[in-house]
Amino acid sequence: MNLMENITSRKNKVICHLRSVANDREYRCNCREYVCDGIKTLREAMRYGAELVCVLWKEKAEELELPDGVVQYTAPAELFEYASPLKSSGGPVFTVKMPEHGGGFKLERAIVLENLQDPGNVGTVIRTANAFNIDAVILVGACADLYNPKTVRASMGAIFRQRVLTMSIAELDEFTREHALPLFGAALSDKAADLRNVEIHRAAVAIGSEGRGLSPELLDICGGEVIIPMNPDSESLNAAVAASIIMWEMSR
């Protein structure tokens, strides 16, 4: 049996908790929860076994059978919108426990993101990686927070089923060696090979930020460099678009 409580105050501890989880990365990491939004996302979370904690409905709860122990709340529209990280949301807003990823999984294809700071791009890459059966998305350096509400929203539910790892450059080097996985860096350089001519079906490929590309430190651990052929008048691609093209090639 799930409890239901109506909230009427901005000072309510549940409202304060939701806002802190959405807006404060340190708080989010400490409580090991992240915020999601929308009925479709809630259904996805349930379908893929995400551990729900609490659900806040806008004015009225929908008839949805939630797992036992999930506490439900309702709030007037104005208060709900104060709590929600998304403007004009239809709701609900809910929190999910961050998963614990263990070892011992198959790794044949991985996409590596270094210093990709836009949460929308990171979420889009996670969504695309899941669509193309990429075994892992690896975040290196100053990437956007995986559990930022914008990252979660851009993943369109893929965050519940896609393996995402976070590591340093040294850990990435050790990780790819341990799995005997060739590592390539996408780079605009004279020595970069045409992506279409490189065997990346079983490999890890690293993408850098649009402004700076991959760092010299990460390129140093790569066994080769690749480039996406394009119109010479085009300077570069959006990082998420470049990653999508590379993952398409990896999955072919």
Side-chain angles (χ1 to χ4, degrees):
M1 175 89 51
N2 295 308
L3 300 175
M4 180 74 71
E5 178 184 332
N6 185 50
I7 298 174
T8 57
S9 170
R10 288 191 175 196
K11 295 182 179 179
N12 181 280
K13 64 180 181 180
V14 175
I15 300 298
C16 295
H17 176 67
L18 286 170
R19 284 178 59 83
S20 294
V21 172
N23 299 311
D24 187 332
R25 183 172 185 171
E26 184 177 357
Y27 182 92
R28 188 161 55 235
C29 291
N30 287 339
C31 68
R32 301 295 298 168
E33 291 179 38
Y34 62 100
V35 167
C36 304
D37 193 290
I39 188 66
K40 183 178 183 296
T41 308
L42 178 58
R43 293 183 190 276
E44 287 275 288
M46 292 170 60
R47 180 181 177 186
Y48 291 99
E51 187 180 348
L52 302 176
V53 181
C54 68
V55 180
L56 176 67
W57 298 93
K58 188 175 184 177
E59 297 185 324
K60 182 181 178 182
E62 291 197 19
E63 292 186 9
L64 190 65
E65 189 173 343
L66 298 178
D68 288 342
V70 178
V71 185
Q72 299 186 75
Y73 304 90
T74 57
E78 184 180 352
L79 183 55
F80 175 88
E81 287 165 11
Y82 173 75
S84 172
L86 184 66
K87 289 185 178 180
S88 303
S89 168
V93 170
F94 60 98
T95 61
V96 178
K97 278 289 184 185
M98 295 180 185
E100 300 291 341
H101 289 304
F105 60 93
K106 180 191 77 168
L107 184 69
E108 293 187 343
R109 290 184 289 277
I111 194 79
V112 179
L113 305 179
E114 185 192 29
N115 299 329
L116 200 59
Q117 296 180 335
D118 183 270
N121 277 340
V122 173
T124 297
V125 171
I126 292 168
R127 178 184 181 184
T128 308
N130 188 252
F132 291 150
N133 295 312
I134 303 301
D135 298 316
V137 175
I138 301 174
L139 307 181
V140 176
C143 283
D145 180 13
L146 172 61
Y147 297 112
N148 181 302
K150 292 179 181 179
T151 309
V152 174
R153 194 178 312 132
S155 79
M156 294 296 287
I159 196 165
F160 304 129
R161 52 188 186 271
Q162 175 63 46
R163 183 177 294 275
V164 183
L165 307 173
T166 301
M167 58 186 70
S168 66
I169 291 175
E171 289 168 334
L172 175 65
D173 188 23
E174 181 181 352
F175 185 77
T176 51
R177 290 176 186 275
E178 179 185 333
H179 287 84
L181 198 66
L183 175 62
F184 296 93
L188 298 171
S189 71
D190 293 336
K191 61 181 180 180
D194 187 318
L195 178 68
R196 298 168 297 183
N197 300 328
V198 180
E199 174 52 61
I200 58 169
H201 181 69
R202 186 184 182 283
V205 181
I207 306 285
S209 66
E210 292 170 39
R212 297 183 178 180
L214 292 171
S215 67
E217 293 78 13
L218 199 148
L219 283 171
D220 280 346
I221 68 169
C222 292
E225 297 177 14
V226 294
I227 190 169
I228 299 171
M230 66 182 83
N231 185 327
D233 293 331
S234 297
E235 190 172 305
S236 64
L237 291 170
N238 169 277
V241 172
S244 297
I245 292 170
I246 289 169
M247 289 188 285
W248 164 249
E249 286 290 327
M250 295 173 81
S251 68
R252 287 207 303 151

